[in-house]
Amino acid sequence: MNSERPEERDAPEPAEPTAPDDRADGSPIGRRVLLGTLGLGALGVVAAPTLQRGLEAFLGGVSGKDPTGLTGLLPNGGGFRYYSVTASVPRKDDTNYRLTVDGMVDRPASYTLADLRALPQTRLVHDIQCVTGWRVPKTPFEGVRLSTLLDAAGVDPSAGAVRFTCFDGAYTESLTLDQARRSDVLVALKMQDKPVGHNHGGPVRLYVAPMYFYKSAKWLSGITVTRAVRPGYWEERGYDVDAWVGRSNGRDDAPTG
Ligand SMILES: Nc1nc2c(c(=O)[nH]1)N[C@H]1C(S)=C(S)[C@@H](COP(=O)(O)O)O[C@H]1N2
Ligand SMILES: [Mo]
């Protein structure tokens, strides 16, 4: 990962679907040419806000360049970038949100938001670190420890991992059971002391404090206990399954958090 990535900057993003690499040297022509060859250039300009994500997710997949940083669209005051590998995500709320826990467990379960709020809540404050370089210091997350849900489900002794699925229909993540049982891994209902908003993966996202932010799956809908780790969305595209901040993905200079 080089340090020239535009997602490390706070400048507003242009409305046109140029890619980070194009903006880095001030010359968007490369990506426009690529869009043209796909026959999507004009459409991309008209429908930029929605289409950009799908396009860049796709282009990121073929270009192989820091794909987790390509879909950042809306820098805000807090320094976050919103990411989604899909063009749109359904909204879920108190009426229709469910989190299922299944797989190698004795007691599969389905939690509503009210169910999750009724469980003990843990608040953590650490720095957030995206693997592409941007970082948000001291960000509070609050929710139910993943270990609480795993204990409630009764994990089969021969299980070794946990797989996470999302109601965007595309993103997946995974942890080993040892990682999943850490006290700094949450099923988060709050971020920055507010309910997790839709763009940040609400109403419920995973929060894996010691790892790069791509582990923190947004729009969490399923927790499946499995025998072994199955690489997640970005991990099938080259990122480390063990995403410890500062110890993976070729970086050893990352700040703690
Ligand atoms: N479902 C889903 N979860 C996801 C992603 C995504 O595209 N889809 N992107 C990941 C990456 S690469 C990062 S850096 C963070 C971004 O979270 P934010 O949008 O709240 O800043 O979410 C992670 N979780
Ligand atoms: Mo990321």
Side-chain angles (χ1 to χ4, degrees):
M1 316 304 133
N2 71 53
S3 58
E4 296 300 312
R5 297 278 157 214
E7 54 269 25
E8 294 176 40
R9 303 174 192 170
D10 281 322
E13 309 263 326
E16 289 185 41
T18 52
D21 298 298
D22 303 325
R23 294 198 299 274
D25 64 9
S27 141
I29 195 70
R31 182 50 51 91
R32 288 225 187 86
V33 168
L34 183 47
L35 288 171
T37 64
L38 294 168
L40 290 169
L43 184 57
V45 171
V46 172
T50 306
L51 194 59
Q52 183 180 10
R53 286 177 247 201
L55 276 176
E56 290 192 351
F58 170 71
L59 294 168
V62 295
S63 77
K65 289 178 193 164
D66 266 0
T68 67
L70 279 180
T71 52
L73 277 179
L74 303 168
N76 67 14
F80 282 97
R81 308 294 185 269
Y82 297 117
Y83 287 88
S84 177
V85 298
T86 60
S88 71
V89 181
R91 287 175 186 262
K92 301 267 185 187
D93 58 24
D94 276 275
T95 64
N96 57 0
Y97 179 78
R98 295 289 183 281
L99 175 63
T100 59
V101 181
D102 59 16
M104 299 172 69
V105 297
D106 299 332
R107 296 173 293 279
S110 173
Y111 293 87
T112 64
L113 277 174
D115 294 335
L116 292 170
R117 288 190 199 111
L119 293 168
Q121 308 289 306
T122 298
R123 184 176 182 272
L124 302 172
V125 183
H126 295 282
D127 296 353
I128 280 177
Q129 173 87 43
C130 173
V131 72
T132 55
W134 61 271
R135 173 172 178 242
V136 186
K138 308 235 178 316
T139 305
F141 280 87
E142 190 175 319
V144 181
R145 283 198 175 125
L146 179 56
S147 64
T148 302
L149 300 183
L150 294 173
D151 289 347
V155 173
D156 184 314
S158 61
V162 184
R163 177 171 165 82
F164 306 95
T165 47
C166 305
F167 62 82
D168 64 10
Y171 205 78
T172 57
E173 255 305 334
S174 66
L175 293 170
T176 68
L177 260 180
D178 283 348
Q179 293 165 355
R181 287 195 165 113
R182 288 175 59 109
S183 58
D184 54 1
V185 176
L186 302 181
V187 170
L189 306 174
K190 289 186 178 180
M191 175 172 165
Q192 296 175 307
D193 295 317
K194 295 177 305 230
V196 180
H198 176 74
N199 288 337
H200 283 303
V204 177
R205 77 182 294 171
L206 190 68
Y207 175 57
V208 183
M211 295 193 176
Y212 286 113
F213 208 24
Y214 63 86
K215 280 286 174 183
S216 294
K218 297 160 61 160
W219 307 294
L220 182 66
S221 57
I223 296 173
T224 303
V225 177
T226 59
R227 199 168 294 278
V229 162
R230 209 174 340 147
Y233 184 91
W234 286 125
E235 294 148 11
E236 286 184 326
R237 291 158 177 81
Y239 285 81
D240 288 353
V241 173
D242 283 329
W244 305 104
V245 170
R247 279 191 267 150
S248 64
N249 294 294
R251 294 177 72 99
D252 55 10
D253 57 346
T256 54

